[in-house]
Amino acid sequence: MQTHEIRKRFLEHFERNGHTVVPSASLILDDPNLLFVNAGMVQFKPYFLGEAPPPYKRATSIQKCVRTGDIENVGLTTRHNTFFQMAGNFSFGDYFKEGAIELAWELVTKSQDEGGYGFSPDRIWVTVYQDDDEAIALWKKIAGLPEERIQRRGGDDNYWDMGVPGPGGPCSEIYYDRGPEYGRDGGPVVDEDRYLEIWNLVFMQDERGELSPKKGHPPIGELPTKNIDTGMGMERVAYLLQGVDNVYETDLVRPVIARAEELTGRRYGVNPEDDVRFRVIADHARSGVMLVGDGVTPGNEARGYVLRRLLRRIVRSARLLGTSEPVLGTFAEVVRDAMGPAYPELATDFERIHRVVTAEENTFLQTLSTGTRIFDVAVAETKSAGRSLLTGDKAFQLHDTYGFPIDLTLEMAAEQGLAVDEDGFRKLMAEQRARAKADAAARKTGHGDRTVYRELLEQGATEFTGYQELASEATVRGLVREGQRIRSAGEGEIVELVLDRTPLYAESGGQESDAGTITSPNAELEVLDVQKVARKLWVHQVRVRSGEIAEGQHVIAQVDPEWRVGARQAHSGTHVVHAALREVLGPSALQSGSYNKPGYLRLDFAWTSALSAETRSEIEEVSNLAVRRDLPVRVVHASLPEAQRMGALALFGETYDETVRVVEIGGPWSRELCGGTHVDHSSQIGPVMLLGESSVGSGVRRLEAYVGIEAFRHLARERALVQNIAGMLKVPNEELPGRIESLVERLRAAEKELERLRAAQLLSNVGGLADAAEDVRGTALVATALPDGVGGNDLRQVATEVRNRLGGRPGVVALFSADPAAGKVNFVVATTPAAREAGLAAGKLVPSFAAEVGGRGGGKPDMAQGGGTNPAGVPGAIVALRAALEGTAGA
């Protein structure tokens, strides 16, 4: 049974049983606890936590997931994957244990002719939480399972939570017995290779605190409702139903290995080391393409770093298999073709995906070239020292600084007849991971006590009236200070305020929250910020300017009209610039983030190279032509699938409700999912003026622009600046470029002449410096400070000339130049041939005095240079150098 058929049967089974089919969320969600979505329940967390009322009682989904905690194990085993699809069914206060077990058992064991998976009931085993007698009784009643095929396990195996305060509960796992040829008798508690877990049913009923029930600590309470969260591994079910031994041989993964075989000329299943590399390629290719598809770009931090690591492991594995050709583009094509039927956006967005992965491969190939040179130096140093072991810190430096994979270091070292201190390398890697883990733990906030918001949500969602009006009558539903409900707040206090209805826009979709006021007969409040809680509750942060505000009072919430005008212009301007960008660069130039406030916008988009001045001008012109055409702005409400069929663009990482808001500017010219406030016609945006374009990471560029009155003001400032410069130079505006170019050329010529004169002046003192050399135990020492601000090149030139004047005698020249304003000092040390014959090397003399100037340096025996941060230490450095020579000269 093909994987797409397994997927289809799962969704149809639960849809027939009253579940709403919910599309997979993006792999990137705004969750402080998650780098990527790693479970099917993540998009439903607000419903499980009681932060928002669920729009349905039953749901089912096939969620794309990425787990990166065991990247190093991928390929070494046939069980570890970074990307996988989690099929799940969910109940929000509807059915519980009995319903979950019935639905799972029916799908797993029903014959394939009847739409099930057709697993033999005699080969099914289950595990339950250690004291869950109810689940045991239900498995016996519903499935007729005998006692010996139901096994109890502790919290580590059969209790589920998110690893942070929040929902949790006991679970029951379904296993399939693959047969005695795969391992020992005795069920899952004995052998989880033979008995393969395919489905986990979580009976979500508890709220855990800081300490997890998985470790025996009691829950802190019960959830408001009992819920069901299940997860069935699509890949595991696929390889069982397809009669293969592991996920890498299933229909959606094996094609990547087949393409790797074509490229490398090697065969999977012949050599165990090669098999590991084939599996790494197959797994990481899927993960990489899915991540890029959801808007991640390679980088050096967080998600971008994980993606970069995955893609580079593919390139490295392919090279170890023997190919030197570019590979990421062709592997991406295979993944697109395999996964496209389930995720059609991979095909429609493939141009961008292909561009991102091929750019990263090109970057990595340059890194490999640099790393190889560093590796060659390390090998030469190791051999010259008579060692046969490349140190762990050198291997770590290659890995951490130059992105050089350790297995490539190992293989190349072996070719040179060297071993690598792997223990030292692993220790340094462990220390780095520990630091990263501690940093992640510090940022991990969990889901603390949100009871105050749950209570307010139980009274209903906030009605947002801001699309229709700027002022609304409302009732104060609640006041919150430091997480606690309060009855009232007085003058000068800053509190959170929840209304039953509000015209004030809450920050979202890149748009800043509205400015405004909330007034009552007894109080006046300034609105500082507006945020959404659980996408349903508008929480206003306010400062009480005067009077007292109390729960239950009637108020008027008012948006600052000038603020809203600018905000509408900026948000609609963002859509216009995005559409113009796609018109000029092509449909693959997709927005990957935005921010706008009155009069200003910035837009991040996936692109791998800087835009030329001509391209920027074209984007600006297309934007302003759209403004001049006075395009109508229309809002359409539709289901998410309907909006996608309309071609509406969604922002990476955003979560959308079942019914979405589509904003059109000029019909299909600009059509995006958006909850922001917008103008009625494009002409109301006013002029659009691009300020610049820059890089904000690998494969991501940023455009910034002013719109409306801010664009006029910027142009006025620019005009005044041009007029002032024209006045100073006494030329008409149109002649400014030529006059400025002429002045720049004259300035450059003057700078060159000054540089020549300064160098001549420095060199004119060479004879005097050489004549003033002092004798230190038979060595001529010239150690002095030159005038402030002399650069390294000039220092080297003077040092060379002085050294030449010393003739055939042993001599050391040390010249210093301070820059007190910058807190820096430069130095150069040079030695004569006779000094080097006597054992005096410039590079080895630097450490004797460098600490005095707070710096370091190095070089060759004849010339060394460096710098420091303590200009006042130059006299001490000269003394230290003299003392070093007194201890070594003539020895």
Side-chain angles (χ1 to χ4, degrees):
M1 186 182 297
Q2 299 296 293
T3 303
H4 295 310
E5 178 64 21
I6 296 170
R7 173 194 181 94
K8 177 173 175 287
R9 292 185 180 215
F10 188 94
L11 294 176
E12 288 178 347
H13 170 70
F14 284 101
E15 189 173 25
R16 283 195 304 270
N17 284 279
H19 293 66
T20 298
V21 177
V22 180
S24 171
S26 167
L27 285 165
I28 314 165
L29 290 183
D30 184 16
D31 189 315
N33 302 309
L34 296 175
L35 202 59
F36 304 111
V37 169
N38 62 358
M41 58 78 62
V42 171
Q43 67 170 313
F44 303 113
K45 277 163 62 173
Y47 311 144
F48 289 130
L49 288 164
E51 294 176 349
Y56 26 65
K57 285 292 187 180
R58 302 180 176 196
T60 184
S61 71
I62 310 292
Q63 175 64 49
K64 48 190 175 184
C65 301
V66 167
R67 292 180 185 170
T68 59
D70 50 12
I71 286 179
E72 298 292 347
N73 289 321
V74 171
L76 297 176
T77 74
T78 57
R79 294 174 54 193
H80 288 91
N81 296 111
T82 53
F83 174 83
F84 58 95
Q85 300 175 87
M86 186 63 77
N89 58 289
F90 309 91
S91 167
F92 310 105
D94 189 13
Y95 61 84
F96 197 48
K97 291 183 184 180
E98 184 169 6
I101 292 172
E102 284 178 343
L103 288 166
W105 181 255
E106 180 183 356
L107 179 60
V108 167
T109 60
K110 187 192 295 184
S111 73
Q112 294 187 8
D113 290 341
E114 297 175 305
Y117 294 144
F119 287 111
S120 169
D122 295 335
R123 301 180 74 169
I124 300 296
W125 291 62
V126 298
T127 60
V128 299
Y129 186 54
Q130 55 195 7
D131 58 3
D132 194 350
D133 295 333
E134 180 186 5
I136 291 177
L138 287 170
W139 277 114
K140 291 179 179 178
K141 169 188 168 185
I142 295 167
L145 287 178
E147 185 86 31
E148 61 270 17
R149 282 198 275 133
I150 305 174
Q151 298 184 320
R152 298 177 188 263
R153 303 186 87 167
D156 281 340
D157 295 298
N158 277 70
Y159 191 94
W160 181 92
D161 60 42
M162 295 186 293
V164 292
C171 56
S172 182
E173 296 172 324
I174 302 175
Y175 290 79
Y176 180 77
D177 181 3
R178 301 168 71 195
E181 63 271 28
Y182 290 97
R184 297 172 293 165
D185 291 335
V189 298
V190 173
D191 191 331
E192 289 198 0
D193 283 325
R194 170 176 171 175
Y195 301 91
L196 187 72
E197 179 194 347
I198 58 173
W199 206 337
N200 187 13
L201 315 179
V202 180
F203 310 131
M204 199 178 294
Q205 60 194 38
D206 302 327
E207 183 164 5
R208 65 152 277 186
E210 292 297 330
L211 301 176
S212 174
K214 290 173 73 71
K215 303 299 182 182
H217 303 285
I220 61 173
E222 293 185 357
L223 292 175
T225 58
K226 292 184 177 182
N227 308 304
I228 288 295
D229 157 31
T230 85
M232 186 192 83
M234 293 275 291
E235 284 75 12
R236 291 192 177 187
V237 172
Y239 78 71
L240 290 173
L241 292 180
Q242 291 173 20
V244 295
D245 285 340
N246 58 69
V247 65
Y248 297 99
E249 298 172 18
T250 59
D251 60 317
L252 298 187
V253 185
R254 188 62 174 83
V256 180
I257 293 178
R259 181 62 59 86
E261 289 176 318
E262 293 174 10
L263 293 174
T264 65
R266 301 195 191 181
R267 291 292 169 260
Y268 182 68
V270 175
N271 182 302
E273 288 187 2
D274 284 355
D275 287 354
V276 170
R277 293 159 186 162
F278 279 120
R279 290 195 287 264
V280 166
I281 290 170
D283 173 83
H284 291 3
R286 287 213 307 170
S287 301
V289 168
M290 300 304 290
L291 288 171
V292 175
D294 275 359
V296 184
T297 54
N300 292 325
E301 295 182 358
R303 297 180 177 115
Y305 177 75
V306 172
L307 174 60
R308 168 162 285 168
R309 189 176 174 203
L310 292 171
L311 295 179
R312 292 186 171 191
R313 278 169 61 89
I314 297 172
V315 177
R316 178 252 300 162
S317 296
R319 288 187 159 245
L320 292 177
L321 285 171
T323 182
S324 58
E325 299 176 16
V327 295
L328 289 184
T330 187
F331 290 146
E333 292 172 357
V334 179
V335 174
R336 173 201 61 193
D337 295 342
M339 304 297 293
Y343 305 101
E345 63 271 17
L346 295 180
T348 57
D349 196 23
F350 187 70
E351 180 184 342
R352 180 187 64 84
I353 294 170
H354 188 275
R355 188 173 62 248
V356 170
V357 299
T358 52
E360 177 60 20
E361 183 165 20
N362 291 334
T363 299
F364 183 45
L365 293 178
Q366 295 173 7
T367 296
L368 282 177
S369 176
T370 303
T372 300
R373 289 196 296 271
I374 303 300
F375 172 82
D376 290 342
V377 171
V379 168
E381 290 176 351
T382 302
K383 289 184 174 181
S384 65
R387 298 192 303 267
S388 60
L389 187 71
L390 193 68
T391 61
D393 61 339
K394 183 59 69 175
F396 180 75
Q397 180 192 17
L398 282 163
H399 169 85
D400 193 52
T401 305
Y402 301 101
F404 218 59
I406 181 60
D407 6 7
L408 201 54
T409 300
L410 290 170
E411 185 151 321
M412 291 173 64
E415 292 171 355
Q416 295 289 333
L418 297 177
V420 178
D421 177 13
E422 290 189 70
D423 290 341
F425 171 81
R426 304 292 176 195
K427 180 181 178 182
L428 291 168
M429 284 295 294
E431 291 173 358
Q432 184 190 64
R433 287 196 188 99
R435 289 192 297 270
K437 189 174 182 180
D439 181 56
R443 295 194 302 268
K444 211 171 199 182
T445 61
H447 294 268
D449 186 2
R450 308 299 293 273
T451 306
V452 61
Y453 298 120
R454 290 182 197 162
E455 293 171 354
L456 293 168
L457 267 170
E458 286 172 0
Q459 301 176 43
T462 302
E463 178 189 355
F464 177 61
T465 62
Y467 295 135
Q468 298 83 31
E469 58 189 20
L470 297 182
S472 300
E473 295 182 356
T475 300
V476 178
R477 186 179 285 172
L479 292 165
V480 179
R481 182 174 55 216
E482 296 178 354
Q484 301 295 321
R485 290 281 291 274
I486 57 175
R487 300 294 301 173
S488 62
E491 185 173 336
E493 290 191 70
I494 295 178
V495 297
E496 292 179 346
L497 179 146
V498 176
L499 303 175
D500 61 340
R501 57 201 308 268
T502 181
L504 290 144
Y505 185 80
E507 180 182 351
S508 60
Q511 181 177 331
E512 269 198 6
S513 61
D514 278 332
T517 59
I518 297 173
T519 58
S520 74
N522 305 317
E524 181 181 352
L525 287 66
E526 175 189 4
V527 177
L528 306 176
D529 189 23
V530 189
Q531 297 291 329
K532 291 181 190 178
V533 171
R535 295 158 48 198
K536 301 290 184 182
L537 202 66
W538 266 241
V539 178
H540 308 73
Q541 186 187 59
V542 298
R543 177 188 288 113
V544 183
R545 286 178 175 169
S546 63
E548 182 180 74
I549 190 73
E551 192 173 298
Q553 282 187 349
H554 295 290
V555 297
I556 294 178
Q558 169 78 52
V559 178
D560 180 336
E562 285 300 313
W563 177 280
R564 177 61 72 82
V565 168
R568 294 170 70 203
Q569 289 176 317
H571 205 147
S572 297
T574 305
H575 286 221
V576 164
V577 172
H578 187 202
L581 183 74
R582 289 165 54 78
E583 181 174 319
V584 172
L585 297 182
S588 62
L590 278 173
Q591 176 182 330
S592 58
S594 68
Y595 168 75
N596 55 79
K597 63 180 181 179
Y600 168 84
L601 67 90
R602 73 172 185 238
L603 185 148
D604 297 343
F605 60 101
W607 203 251
T608 53
S609 58
L611 305 184
S612 66
E614 292 77 11
T615 300
R616 294 197 302 270
S617 294
E618 188 177 356
I619 293 167
E620 187 177 69
E621 183 173 358
V622 171
S623 300
N624 283 298
L625 285 173
V627 170
R628 191 182 71 177
R629 287 164 58 200
D630 195 28
L631 301 172
V633 178
R634 188 171 76 107
V635 174
V636 178
H637 291 89
S639 69
L640 184 57
E642 288 171 342
Q644 291 171 331
R645 285 194 292 272
M646 291 167 60
L649 300 175
L651 185 65
F652 290 128
E654 284 289 318
T655 302
Y656 298 98
D657 294 324
E658 284 298 293
T659 300
V660 294
R661 187 170 181 263
V662 181
V663 176
E664 294 181 342
I665 301 179
W669 185 72
S670 171
R671 183 177 282 152
E672 299 187 29
L673 303 186
C674 182
T677 58
H678 288 272
V679 300
D680 298 318
H681 291 268
S682 64
S683 60
Q684 296 170 340
I685 295 171
V688 178
M689 182 175 184
L690 294 187
L691 300 175
E693 182 260 350
S694 59
S695 170
V696 290
S698 177
V700 180
R701 310 294 299 181
R702 171 171 291 172
L703 283 173
E704 296 179 89
Y706 283 138
V707 297
I709 193 67
E710 287 302 324
F712 278 120
R713 288 170 178 159
H714 182 76
L715 288 169
R717 290 192 296 269
E718 295 281 296
R719 181 177 60 190
L721 178 64
V722 169
Q723 289 175 342
N724 286 339
I725 296 173
M728 286 188 287
L729 297 179
K730 295 181 173 55
V731 295
N733 291 1
E734 60 270 17
E735 294 181 15
L736 268 181
R739 176 58 63 88
I740 291 173
E741 183 178 359
S742 173
L743 287 173
V744 169
E745 288 178 356
R746 290 167 58 188
L747 180 60
R748 285 173 179 161
E751 287 176 343
K752 287 181 180 179
E753 179 62 16
L754 283 173
E755 186 67 26
R756 186 188 66 79
L757 291 173
R758 184 173 64 178
Q761 184 179 18
L762 287 172
L763 291 173
S764 69
N765 296 325
V766 165
L769 290 173
D771 292 342
E774 60 178 306
D775 183 270
V776 180
R777 297 187 63 190
T779 296
L781 172 64
V782 178
T784 188
L786 296 186
D788 291 349
V790 177
N793 289 335
D794 288 339
L795 281 176
R796 283 195 300 273
Q797 187 175 2
V798 174
T800 300
E801 292 295 330
V802 173
R803 178 179 62 186
N804 292 341
R805 295 290 184 96
L806 294 178
R809 54 181 168 158
V812 174
V813 180
L815 302 180
F816 299 83
S817 177
D819 184 351
K824 295 180 179 179
V825 58
N826 294 320
F827 59 79
V828 168
V829 179
T831 57
T832 63
R836 294 194 291 277
E837 289 175 5
L840 296 175
K844 293 183 178 179
L845 288 172
V846 169
S848 68
F849 65 82
E852 296 291 334
V853 292
R856 59 183 181 178
K860 298 179 179 179
D862 63 326
M863 180 78 74
Q865 68 183 76
T869 57
N870 179 25
V874 170
I878 293 173
V879 171
L881 175 59
R882 186 182 295 113
L885 289 177
E886 288 174 346
T888 60

